[in-house]
Amino acid sequence: MAECIECGAEVETSEDAEEGEIIECPECGVELEIISVEPLELALAPEEEEDWGE
Amino acid sequence: MDGISVQTGGQATISPQTCRAWEDAHSVGMYAKRDIVLVRGEGATVWDGAGRAYLDCTAGVGVANVGHANAAVADAVSRQARLLVTCHGMFYNDARARLLKQLADIAPPGIDRFFLCNSGSEAVEGALKFARMATGRSEVVAMVRGFHGKTFGALSATWEAKYREPFEPLVPGFRHVPLNDAAVLAEAVSERTAAVLLEIIQGEGGIRPASAEFLEAARRLCDERGALLIVDEVQTGLGRTGSWFACQGMGLRPDLVTMAKALGGGLAMGAVGVGPRVENLQRLTHTTTFGGAPIACAAASAVIAEVRRLDLLRHAAEAGGAFIDRLRVLNLRKVREVRGRGLMVGVELRQKAGPFLLPLAERGVLAMLAGNLVLRFLPPLVISEAELERVAAALEEVLHA
């Protein structure tokens, strides 16, 4: 369990979470990147600069 | 003229290189382009300018439900184009009357009147205006991650900030609550609420299904507080999830339903269906020149007939269900969840999904995103089980790599 750095909501991570994985805050929907598993640290996932066709 | 070539059959066309150059030079650039020039399609397959075939799991973002170059739709459009191409709503028209009757036959219970328009956004605009007019209220409760279009009213209901912020201020009175949180919805719906607006399965928002409990709560809250329930079926409608409209599969009775995309079989068409609680719509307050044009109505009638003839509701449910099961048992490390219903399928990854689109295309499969983490598959409903197996195999290959 970690705290969303955008809205403060509780964010769950799976037991097999890994660095680089991206999760979404269930409250505000912001994308968070797991930058450390032990201890669990989150950062705002970088805005997608690439264009994937949408 | 430079770049012009001639296809078999004598139809002048342009080379892929020239096509890219002209589109890049003379469009305003609102679309992020993939480096593929599509020139024809048939069934679930499209071909690029070099003759390369792709299984099209985009279907024009859920448009080509009855397949690319469907002969019945093409014949209907051709026939109507030679008969009467336009007929404003001030006159009656046989093609329009036929479609309205067909829509009443397939719509959710109680929905038996329709406003015909030209797109999903326009359908949502119409539904919002009808809800305001019928209730005399102005507020709308929409959903987090909901997508309803990019015109001002529809955009006000759309959740994604990157679409909204460049155009603020938007229409006032809109708020967003989390999908499937009935308690928060109960706090949001009041005697000022004109409508609750939701998708049965959020499309652009990541292929996220609304729960039966949440839909039941939304219906009950609207009934208790005098609000109308608008179900946006622009992406889920016309058989995509295995029923004519996804709300029918959930036993939900909306007051208004929006549809578009697959309705016109490739021609621009949308519609708003309304039920008995939508009253007092004042004449001339919402009209459109092209709405209900005979040529679009003829196409839509053919689409409905083709869905029936080809038994596509059953096929979408069965083949789509098998496809979802197939993807789930892959049990790939990169996959967090497989979601969807019928042939509306999302594969949520643990990482950005965008980088996998090109490898899929290189293996002959066109897919889309639904948010940054979800690969979205919306193939024509005519796609075969064997073709879906090729899609699954390609996905397995790129996600294993």
Side-chain angles (χ1 to χ4, degrees):
Chain A
M1 193 75 79
E3 192 172 277
C4 173
I5 57 179
E6 185 77 2
C7 73
E10 286 188 347
V11 180
E12 282 188 44
T13 57
S14 59
E15 286 181 4
D16 61 348
E18 56 189 36
E19 280 185 25
E21 185 171 341
I22 294 171
I23 56 178
E24 287 181 338
C25 171
E27 291 293 320
C28 70
V30 73
E31 290 178 356
L32 302 161
E33 182 173 351
I34 299 174
I35 56 172
S36 166
V37 176
E38 217 35 80
L40 184 61
E41 289 183 46
L42 303 175
L44 286 176
E47 277 294 309
E48 195 66 88
E49 292 181 355
E50 300 94 334
D51 245 336
W52 302 116
E54 296 308 307
Chain B
M1 191 182 294
D2 184 39
I4 298 286
S5 61
V6 177
Q7 279 186 333
T8 305
Q11 184 185 9
T13 184
I14 54 177
S15 70
Q17 295 78 8
T18 303
C19 183
R20 289 186 189 92
W22 287 2
E23 281 212 38
D24 288 344
H26 302 299
S27 67
V28 298
M30 277 294 166
Y31 297 90
K33 296 286 197 187
R34 301 187 197 182
D35 193 20
I36 297 174
V37 179
L38 296 178
V39 296
R40 71 183 178 96
E42 183 179 337
T45 302
V46 289
W47 284 266
D48 68 14
R52 172 149 198 206
Y54 302 87
L55 282 173
D56 181 15
C57 292
T58 72
V61 193
V63 169
N65 280 18
V66 296
H68 290 283
N70 178 289
V73 175
D75 288 346
V77 170
S78 174
R79 197 164 46 244
Q80 188 64 46
R82 288 174 167 79
L83 197 61
L84 185 67
V85 290
T86 187
C87 176
H88 192 273
M90 72 177 82
F91 298 105
Y92 291 96
N93 172 256
D94 57 340
R96 186 187 304 132
R98 187 176 300 114
L99 175 64
L100 289 168
K101 179 65 172 69
Q102 285 174 299
L103 287 174
D105 289 341
I106 66 172
I111 303 284
D112 63 357
R113 293 172 293 146
F114 301 85
F115 175 79
L116 301 177
C117 53
N118 310 285
S119 71
S121 290
E122 205 184 326
V124 171
E125 295 289 339
L128 293 170
K129 289 175 72 177
F130 295 160
R132 275 192 173 194
M133 185 167 276
T135 62
R137 304 172 178 185
S138 62
E139 292 186 3
V140 174
V141 178
M143 302 298 130
V144 169
R145 294 194 185 89
F147 182 90
H148 304 286
K150 293 176 180 170
T151 54
F152 268 101
L155 181 60
S156 303
T158 291
W159 175 74
E160 180 63 64
K162 72 183 177 192
Y163 300 145
R164 298 166 54 87
E165 287 173 355
F167 301 102
E168 290 175 342
L170 300 176
V171 179
F174 285 75
R175 62 181 295 186
H176 295 86
V177 300
L179 184 72
N180 293 335
D181 191 331
V184 176
L185 181 66
E187 291 172 11
V189 179
S190 74
E191 70 285 352
R192 295 184 303 279
T193 304
V196 172
L197 171 59
L198 54 81
E199 299 154 275
I200 302 296
I201 301 174
Q202 293 184 329
E204 313 292 314
I207 313 295
R208 297 172 196 274
S211 69
E213 297 75 21
F214 183 75
L215 294 175
E216 189 180 333
R219 179 68 273 173
R220 178 174 45 76
L221 287 165
C222 286
D223 290 341
E224 289 173 358
R225 298 173 194 184
L228 298 173
L229 180 58
I230 306 173
V231 171
D232 184 337
E233 296 257 15
V234 168
Q235 194 163 135
T236 50
L238 278 299
R240 171 62 56 192
T241 68
S243 50
W244 283 109
F245 297 95
C247 62
Q248 292 163 318
M250 301 296 286
L252 179 70
R253 296 173 69 105
D255 296 304
L256 301 101
V257 59
T258 62
M259 64 196 85
K261 290 197 186 294
L263 179 59
L267 272 67
M269 188 170 208
V272 189
V274 305
R277 296 181 67 205
V278 185
E279 298 174 310
N280 304 318
L281 300 183
Q282 295 165 27
R283 208 177 293 282
L284 298 178
T285 55
H286 190 71
T287 61
T288 170
T289 297
F290 289 107
I295 196 163
C297 290
S301 285
V303 166
I304 292 170
E306 282 292 271
V307 171
R308 289 190 196 281
R309 184 182 72 83
L310 298 169
D311 200 10
L312 294 181
L313 302 185
R314 182 192 58 77
H315 180 68
E318 293 180 3
F323 180 58
I324 291 169
D325 289 344
R326 166 82 166 86
L327 297 183
R328 283 183 175 147
V329 299
L330 291 177
N331 199 25
L332 298 168
R333 170 76 186 152
K334 290 189 175 78
V335 175
R336 182 176 286 145
E337 189 178 21
V338 179
R339 297 188 289 264
R341 192 174 307 140
L343 285 167
M344 181 174 186
V345 181
V347 178
E348 181 172 324
L349 306 185
R350 295 155 68 110
Q351 60 196 87
K352 300 277 186 185
F356 297 100
L357 292 178
L358 181 58
L360 277 172
E362 288 169 348
R363 288 160 177 79
V365 173
L366 300 181
M368 290 178 291
L369 299 181
N372 282 328
L373 300 178
V374 178
L375 288 168
R376 176 169 38 154
F377 298 88
L378 299 176
L381 306 187
V382 296
I383 194 168
S384 69
E385 285 89 346
E387 289 170 325
L388 285 167
E389 174 54 33
R390 282 165 50 199
V391 175
L395 184 63
E396 181 176 18
E397 200 174 311
V398 301
L399 293 181
H400 258 316

